[in-house]
Structures are given as C-alpha cells and as structure tokens.
Amino acid sequence: MEKMVNNKYRILAGIIVFGSLWGMLECILGEVKLTGALEAFPMGAFLGAFVGLGLMVLTRRLYNVMWMQLGMALVAGLLRFWAPVGTCVICSALAIVAEGMIFELIFNRPVFNINKSGGDMRNVQTLAFLGIIAGFTIYTTGYMFTQIFTPILTEGAFSISNFSATLPLIFGRGFFAAVLGGITLPLAVLAKQLYIDVSSIKKEHYYGAVAGISTFCWVFVFAFFYI
C-alpha cells in the first residue's frame, strides 16, 4: 500500500465522505432549538469547536495530510449552503469554510503536528490548552469572517460599525467554543477507539463505504428539508 500522502484518490474520497458527514451534522444540528437553561447556549460554538474541530483533528490523525481539512470544509460548506436551515444560510456556509482555513493555519505548523509519536502532542494538558486556543480562534474568526463577507456578498457593502457592535457577542460566545475545544482536541488525538488504519482498508471496501456514506448524507439532507 502506498503512503497515504501519495494516494490522492483515497485522500479525495476521504475529503468527500468526512466533508459530507460534517455538512450533514451542521444541517441537522443547526436546526435544533435548545430550551430552558440551555436556551442561551450558542449551537454554533458546539458545531465549530466540537463537530468541525473534532472531524478535522480526527482526519488529520487518520490521514496525516495537510490541506485535506480545508477540502472537507468546502464540501461541508456546499452541503450547508444547499440546506435552508436558520436565518442566514450563506453565513453558516462561509463560517465552515473559514473554520477549515484557520485550522490549516494552526495545525500545519510543525510544532502542532498531532501525529508525532511523542512529546507534548501526546500530553493531555498540552492538548487541552491547545484545544482551548484552537476552539476559540476557529469559532470567533469564522464568526467574524461571516460578519465581514456576508454583507459584501449579499448587499455589496460592509459596515464597520455593525461589525464592531457584534464583537462582544462573538467573543462572549467564544468562551463556550474554548471550553469545547479543550475537550475535543485531546479526545480526537488520543482516543484509541477512534483510530482506523485507513491505508489498510481494501480498496473495494473503502470506496464502497465512501460512496454509500456520502450519498446517504446528501440524500438525507435533501429528504429532511425538501420532501
């Protein structure tokens, strides 16, 4: 079996299937309305710092390929844009793509290589601290990205005053993303139960599973929202 980094078709298939899973979860969970004591909890923080970050870290662990996660974000953003969930569909799609870009900027640095066999990237406390930073940064930057580019794309204008007014809300909600990131990163990096040797899966089984799961995600979202 070729090294995963040289197996472009297997990587492309991974981008499609994990991007589709990410997009489906964004669509379905984005529809959830919390009540009671959890009503004020920002679902976007959960989707960004647990679902998005978790899938990106897990696939970096499984495939060990840089920029794959941005590809996943593009697939997930496309699926999210396709589903009429929430008051601003384009906002959510842009946020997902931005999260993928920020992830790459952070975890493409050699010091944050989660696939190193030893050192700090195998220490729970270090991973938790990095997860707090990553969760907060990915969520808040993605949120700010949407506040800048959504009005430009939809209205052709950007208001710095409106953007400034949303910053306290963005940073306040970022607290929840930081907490979730501190849980997500150690779990996705260290949990033995989540590891699969992707390169050892037989080609027919791998591509068959990718085709089946990806098709299910897109059909399920279509059926859930359009039928």
Side-chain angles (χ1 to χ4, degrees):
M1 177 69 69
E2 292 181 278
K3 288 185 177 180
M4 183 56 66
V5 72
N6 295 322
N7 197 328
K8 58 183 179 180
Y9 297 112
R10 195 169 283 240
I11 294 168
L12 178 60
I15 289 172
I16 293 171
V17 69
F18 283 102
S20 298
L21 283 169
W22 183 1
M24 182 185 70
L25 291 172
E26 286 272 354
C27 294
I28 302 304
L29 296 178
E31 184 79 350
V32 174
K33 305 296 181 184
L34 301 176
T35 58
L38 295 176
E39 187 174 1
F41 179 80
M43 183 57 71
F46 174 78
L47 292 171
F50 188 79
V51 175
L53 179 61
L55 285 173
M56 287 190 286
V57 172
L58 179 61
T59 51
R60 179 60 63 89
R61 177 186 176 188
L62 298 182
Y63 291 84
N64 195 19
V65 175
M66 293 189 295
W67 302 108
M68 176 183 176
Q69 289 66 41
L70 178 57
M72 288 167 47
L74 291 170
V75 173
L78 180 61
L79 180 52
R80 181 65 184 82
F81 183 75
W82 192 43
V85 184
T87 57
C88 184
V89 174
I90 192 172
C91 296
S92 301
L94 287 173
I96 293 170
V97 176
E99 288 166 4
M101 289 191 293
I102 300 303
F103 176 89
E104 299 287 0
L105 291 176
I106 295 174
F107 288 94
N108 286 1
R109 300 184 63 186
V111 69
F112 297 138
N113 181 4
I114 62 173
N115 288 291
K116 288 191 294 188
S117 58
D120 291 338
M121 289 300 102
R122 286 295 175 272
N123 180 277
V124 174
Q125 289 79 12
T126 301
L127 289 171
F129 182 70
L130 177 58
I132 290 171
I133 296 174
F136 180 85
T137 304
I138 286 172
Y139 173 74
T140 56
T141 305
Y143 203 147
M144 287 188 283
F145 187 86
T146 66
Q147 296 302 305
I148 295 172
F149 287 98
T150 299
I152 293 175
L153 293 174
T154 57
E155 303 170 6
F158 169 69
S159 171
I160 188 65
S161 59
N162 290 340
F163 175 72
S164 300
T166 63
L167 289 179
L169 175 65
I170 293 173
F171 291 128
R173 292 182 172 180
F175 166 79
F176 297 97
V179 173
L180 288 167
I183 298 170
T184 303
L185 191 61
L187 179 64
V189 172
L190 299 177
K192 295 180 180 179
Q193 297 84 352
L194 297 177
Y195 180 76
I196 301 172
D197 186 356
V198 179
S199 63
S200 69
I201 302 174
K202 290 184 177 180
K203 185 183 298 186
E204 58 272 23
H205 296 160
Y206 180 81
Y207 291 113
V210 164
I213 295 171
S214 301
T215 301
F216 170 81
C217 291
W218 286 79
V219 170
F220 183 81
V221 169
F222 179 82
F224 192 86
F225 293 104
Y226 291 98
I227 296 178

